[in-house]
Amino acid sequence: MNGGTSDTPLEARWLRLIPSLVLGLAIWIAPVPQGVAPEGWHTLAVFAATILGLLLRPFAMASIVLLGILVLIVTGALGPTSKDALQTALTGFADTTVWLVVAAFLIAGAVVRTGLGRRIALGLVHKLGRSERGLAYGIGAAELVLAPVIPSNTARGGGILAPIVDSLCRSLGSEEERAGVSRYLVACGAHFNLVTAAMFLTAMAANPLVSEAAETIAGVQFGWAKWALGSIVPGLAAIALLPLLMERLVKPPKLDVSAARATAEAELAALGPMDRAEKILLATLGLLLLLWATGPLHGLHTTVVALLGIAVLLFTGAQRWRDMAGTWGAWDALVWLGGLVMMADHLRETGVIDWFANGAGAYASGLAPLSAALILAAVYFYSMYGFSMLTGHITAMAGAFIAVALAAGAPPLLSIALIAYFSNLCGCLTHYSTGPVVIYFGLGYHSVPDWFRIGFVVSLFHMVVWLGIGLPWWKLIGWW
Amino acid sequence: MNGGTSDTPLEARWLRLIPSLVLGLAIWIAPVPQGVAPEGWHTLAVFAATILGLLLRPFAMASIVLLGILVLIVTGALGPTSKDALQTALTGFADTTVWLVVAAFLIAGAVVRTGLGRRIALGLVHKLGRSERGLAYGIGAAELVLAPVIPSNTARGGGILAPIVDSLCRSLGSEEERAGVSRYLVACGAHFNLVTAAMFLTAMAANPLVSEAAETIAGVQFGWAKWALGSIVPGLAAIALLPLLMERLVKPPKLDVSAARATAEAELAALGPMDRAEKILLATLGLLLLLWATGPLHGLHTTVVALLGIAVLLFTGAQRWRDMAGTWGAWDALVWLGGLVMMADHLRETGVIDWFANGAGAYASGLAPLSAALILAAVYFYSMYGFSMLTGHITAMAGAFIAVALAAGAPPLLSIALIAYFSNLCGCLTHYSTGPVVIYFGLGYHSVPDWFRIGFVVSLFHMVVWLGIGLPWWKLIGWW
């Protein structure tokens, strides 16, 4: 979604910066509450302005975050001298979770460049696609397999799968004939992407912000293995049930889909046999998943495992460093994610989070602990109607909701898990929530009211699945 | 120079890793000296293996550094747990000087992409190129103007100037006719590149390693303004005198160079008028140089100034973030430079530097302070005969020589300045010392003995200029 606005005239983009500046200035000049350091309050002002900037998107995310960082440095909010402030400002770029995302992006670049991602997706669609429902499961299976190693849900859903779904649809006859099945497959593709994004720490670029918030605000480790452990049961249930729900919602006509399956087969054949680089990559991905899932056993940090995977690709000659370093998304994420993590850390260190949590927690403190967690999670979920970007929603709200849940006495792990998974699931609500949804919607098979109606029902479906199946599962593994 | 070896068969590249592994292992198993922590000794083993790897270059620099980092993490040399070790390993990626280089690379990318670098170079060559000597001064002036903002001397000399020099030469008639003048211009171009690389902290990617060593080993700030203050007088003298020396050495025949000048004019005309992006970039570069040179007055850190420059380019629409983030050299430098800086820091923290300096300093302690500085600097300079890469030479030797000079009682600032400037000037000695020299030599106008002969005389020339003019200048500004 970055730089997507660069066709807009510069004046219009500057105008769209104004609300950010006004918000930032308003907070800056407001009286500093007791218990909050002035630097913390000023950081809050810049943080709020930065998030609004991310949502209004007049410039690329990294540009806006860079501006925020510079304002914090120059105004002394991060330290007394320019050098002190700079050192604080750069801490996010040495963050272990930020580098997990960078490393995962570098690996994902290899999955895309070698064609392995496309091959896996086409293979699963071909394997499973004996019926409309089978095609849908093929798409879901591809999302599930690729999600842990492609941390840009846009690259995965929008870059790899949406083009495949589009070409499947096109092979199903005239525009009229295929309309119903296309509506079905496109809706499945978009909502699968959000489910898989929710399932793994490395399946969406902003997920580590939740993990960071869990550690810094609640002191709870919510790393790769724990994230996946909590999501695996409700996540697989959601993938299994989603096509069935979608059949009810979209009512696709029964159609012979063998043409679509043939298309997948032809595109697969066009890729030729797997080459050496792809085979090494496939083995490396397997190793990564194994080591990530077994982290608590061998003690290797998730990021170290990811870096090991990169080293394997480089020293086996499966990838050239020059190509890997050219993966601009990795460095883009380093800058915006590193900047946001630094700001969030600084908010905590300067007492802003405590102040907010104590204030907001007071409202929620009358509730029973479990009710507090559930109500907060639901509010967090449906507040996505007001956001145009999952990352902006997470940045703005995830830490705050975790802090409030803690202050209200809600079970910490449960609250974190709900916020973590809902952070992506809530993208179901609108057609403007995140890159791949925008792209799937843009294929043109759905009207806006249609997308909203399906999205709202899917949101209820997620409540049923993730609370109905998730809550007992999390109880079983001792999370509450 | 990265990835330049990827055409070599993989087995041959692995074989070239072996000397590194043997060296590392030998140090690792050697008895740990008193006063050095075992982690420090192991870091030294990996550091030495990494540097040898950089020199043998079987894989890209960043790949080798990444491998070194991973070995340090996995063996526990950086911390007891995988997470502790990772956090230490990543500190180099938050280093203020490393980010100066990253930022400078991002800006340099804009100078190349917009064509401004080429325009400046062609303009100066056209302006000054009324004679052979004038063409040489045009090339020198272009190097001087571009050096502070293009931190890859390969991108500057090899990417921008060498093609221009080559096309000037080609316009001077048949291969026979132009041979003499070409030899002259190419030699000037290559040696100018090294002088300008020596003059500014941001003129060569590994210069910050000297700055870092100065701060961590000697506790001396040797930042952008100080670096340039010390180099400006001897550096300008070297640029002014180099074409005269080269005339004596190469004895180019007198030729009418108006055809070369016309070529420059035609290529300049082909660039068309300056567009908005170039104008903004030019103004931004002026602002950067002004703020860098006046750092002590306004107190803004050099890196903060560079980041401000990037923000100006982004928010005026002169550059898109996507293009900037696609500058792979910036992220390449982040990884290899950040990794090396982290290792060097860790060597200091674990007592290795002190141990080495005390041991080696004993040999030099009989010398008068000034003699010690000069002899060490000369040894540092001519040791470059044994190195195939300026960066490898700096990484391996700069910190050690500064430490020894201090232990021998040599004046700190003077010793640092000599090491800093000689770090690039010493590239004159061979035809394999650094990227642009390889490229200029590769134009084919010089034999190897010819290049070595010229190089050796240029090395004496630098001794005369940088000691004869430099020493009095550094005395005047109180550096010794």
Side-chain angles (χ1 to χ4, degrees), chain A residues 72-327:
Chain A
L72 287 173
I73 291 175
V74 172
T75 57
L78 294 180
T81 72
S82 180
K83 174 146 198 191
D84 291 334
L86 177 65
Q87 277 171 336
T88 306
L90 297 179
T91 50
F93 304 136
D95 185 87
T96 55
T97 317
V98 171
W99 273 88
L100 173 59
V101 175
V102 172
F105 260 102
L106 293 177
I107 294 164
V111 176
V112 173
R113 266 193 309 281
T114 57
L116 180 63
R118 206 172 136 71
R119 183 189 299 279
I120 289 173
L122 288 169
L124 285 165
V125 168
H126 174 246
K127 197 97 190 159
L128 301 174
R130 292 172 197 282
S131 63
E132 291 163 13
R133 191 184 286 175
L135 285 173
Y137 280 125
I139 298 164
E143 271 283 348
L144 181 66
V145 170
L146 295 176
V149 288
I150 303 194
S152 163
N153 67 320
T154 303
R156 188 171 73 247
I160 296 180
L161 276 152
I164 291 176
V165 172
D166 190 34
S167 106
L168 294 178
C169 293
R170 283 172 194 281
S171 64
L172 290 173
S174 74
E175 225 163 300
E176 240 167 286
E177 286 170 326
R178 71 184 191 232
V181 179
S182 299
R183 274 182 69 215
Y184 169 72
L185 292 178
V186 165
C188 283
H191 291 286
F192 276 139
N193 177 265
L194 297 167
V195 173
T196 60
M199 286 178 73
F200 305 97
L201 176 58
T202 44
M204 197 278 207
N207 281 353
L209 286 169
V210 180
S211 208
E212 280 279 325
E215 184 158 355
T216 55
I217 295 171
V220 171
Q221 300 278 342
F222 199 70
W224 202 93
K226 207 174 254 182
W227 188 299
L229 175 67
S231 71
I232 196 74
V233 171
L236 288 179
I239 291 176
L241 297 172
L242 197 62
L244 309 181
L245 171 75
M246 220 52 92
E247 284 167 24
R248 301 269 170 136
L249 278 173
V250 177
K251 303 200 177 59
K254 276 280 162 242
L255 216 68
D256 176 15
V257 297
S258 56
R261 195 158 174 253
T263 299
E265 191 168 18
E267 294 190 12
L268 203 53
L271 287 179
M274 265 187 142
D275 64 12
R276 180 175 171 280
E278 268 184 272
K279 285 177 192 159
I280 292 172
L281 179 57
L282 189 62
T284 308
L285 296 181
L287 183 72
L288 283 176
L289 290 181
L290 182 71
L291 288 174
W292 277 343
T294 56
L297 297 179
H298 52 70
L300 282 180
H301 190 275
T302 318
T303 307
V304 175
V305 170
L307 293 175
L308 281 171
I310 292 173
V312 169
L313 296 178
L314 291 172
F315 284 92
T316 54
Q319 286 287 302
R320 296 176 61 208
W321 169 248
R322 176 139 199 168
D323 295 331
M324 291 198 109
T327 312

Side-chain angles (χ1 to χ4, degrees), chain A residues 14 82 315 321-322 328 332, chain B residues 14 301 315 321-322 328 332:
Chain A
W14 281 347
S82 180
F315 284 92
W321 169 248
R322 176 139 199 168
W328 88 283
D332 179 50
Chain B
W14 281 346
H301 190 277
F315 284 93
W321 168 248
R322 176 140 201 170
W328 88 283
D332 179 50

Side-chain angles (χ1 to χ4, degrees), chain A residues 349-386:
Chain A
E349 282 159 15
T350 49
V352 177
I353 301 285
D354 281 345
W355 160 78
F356 174 80
N358 292 338
Y363 290 94
S365 63
L367 297 166
L370 184 59
S371 311
L374 296 180
I375 291 173
L376 284 166
V379 172
Y380 179 71
F381 193 113
Y382 287 97
S383 66
M384 185 63 202
Y385 272 120

Side-chain angles (χ1 to χ4, degrees), chain B residues 360-373 375 404-405 407-410:
Chain B
Y363 290 94
S365 62
L367 298 167
L370 183 59
S371 310
I375 291 173
V404 175

Side-chain angles (χ1 to χ4, degrees), chain B residues 94-355:
Chain B
D95 184 87
T96 55
T97 317
V98 171
W99 274 87
L100 173 59
V101 175
V102 172
F105 261 102
L106 294 177
I107 294 165
V111 175
V112 174
R113 266 194 307 281
T114 58
L116 180 63
R118 205 170 137 71
R119 183 189 298 278
I120 289 173
L122 288 169
L124 285 165
V125 168
H126 174 247
K127 198 96 188 160
L128 300 173
R130 292 173 195 282
S131 63
E132 291 162 12
R133 190 184 287 175
L135 285 173
Y137 279 125
I139 298 163
E143 271 283 350
L144 182 65
V145 170
L146 295 177
V149 289
I150 302 194
S152 162
N153 67 320
T154 304
R156 188 173 72 246
I160 294 180
L161 275 152
I164 291 176
V165 171
D166 190 34
S167 107
L168 293 178
C169 293
R170 282 170 195 281
S171 64
L172 289 173
S174 74
E175 224 165 297
E176 242 167 284
E177 286 171 322
R178 71 183 190 231
V181 178
S182 299
R183 275 182 68 217
Y184 169 71
L185 292 178
V186 164
C188 283
H191 291 286
F192 275 139
N193 178 265
L194 297 167
V195 173
T196 59
M199 287 178 70
F200 305 97
L201 175 59
T202 44
M204 198 278 205
N207 282 353
L209 286 170
V210 181
S211 206
E212 280 279 326
E215 184 160 355
T216 55
I217 295 170
V220 171
Q221 300 279 339
F222 199 69
W224 201 95
K226 207 175 253 182
W227 188 300
L229 175 67
S231 71
I232 194 78
V233 171
L236 289 179
I239 291 177
L241 297 173
L242 195 64
L244 309 180
L245 171 75
M246 220 50 94
E247 283 167 25
R248 301 267 170 136
L249 279 173
V250 177
K251 299 199 180 60
K254 275 281 161 247
L255 217 68
D256 176 16
V257 299
S258 56
R261 196 160 174 251
T263 300
E265 191 169 15
E267 293 189 13
L268 203 54
L271 287 178
M274 266 186 136
D275 65 11
R276 181 175 170 281
E278 269 183 272
K279 286 179 192 159
I280 292 172
L281 178 57
L282 189 62
T284 307
L285 296 181
L287 183 72
L288 283 177
L289 289 181
L290 182 72
L291 289 174
W292 278 342
T294 57
L297 296 179
H298 52 70
L300 282 181
H301 190 277
T302 318
T303 307
V304 175
V305 170
L307 294 175
L308 280 172
I310 292 173
V312 170
L313 296 178
L314 291 172
F315 284 93
T316 55
Q319 286 287 302
R320 295 176 61 208
W321 168 248
R322 176 140 201 170
D323 295 330
M324 291 199 109
T327 311
W328 88 283
W331 314 113
D332 179 50
L334 175 70
V335 172
W336 68 257
L337 195 58
L340 291 177
V341 163
M342 177 277 293
M343 289 185 202
D345 280 351
H346 202 61
L347 285 178
R348 187 183 48 79
E349 282 159 15
T350 49
V352 177
I353 300 285
D354 281 345
W355 161 79

